[in-house]
Amino acid sequence: MSTRNVRLDEDVYERIKSEKRPDETFSETVERLIGRASLLDLAGILSDEEADEFRRAIDESDEAGTREIDELVDRFDGDDDS
């Protein structure tokens, strides 16, 4: 892969440098910062307990949404009978 020299203002360089992880090259840091988000970037953000709580909240929201849709369908079905 070829390389390029890029001129950066000092403040921009320092911001990128502050985001650099110990196991990354500068190019990898820039790629991570401007590239699409990776699911691997989310690894370890939540504890197991937080992840379980998040799953429960999603499930509850899904169930509430399903109930609301069922109620709407029932209302529309009921209108046909009148």
Side-chain angles (χ1 to χ4, degrees), residues 19-77:
E19 295 290 333
K20 185 180 174 304
R21 296 173 180 166
D23 61 336
E24 286 181 324
T25 65
F26 209 81
S27 287
E28 290 168 336
T29 302
V30 171
E31 175 64 28
R32 177 173 52 82
L33 293 172
I34 66 168
R36 293 190 177 143
S38 166
L39 289 177
L40 293 176
D41 292 337
L42 300 176
I45 287 179
L46 300 176
S47 68
D48 290 344
E49 294 81 20
E50 291 169 324
D52 289 342
E53 185 177 333
F54 202 91
R55 283 186 196 99
R56 278 193 297 276
I58 291 171
D59 290 344
E60 288 172 9
S61 177
D62 287 347
E63 290 167 7
T66 300
R67 281 192 304 274
E68 289 176 16
I69 291 170
D70 289 345
E71 289 170 5
L72 278 171
V73 168
D74 288 345
R75 260 196 276 163
F76 281 108
D77 284 347

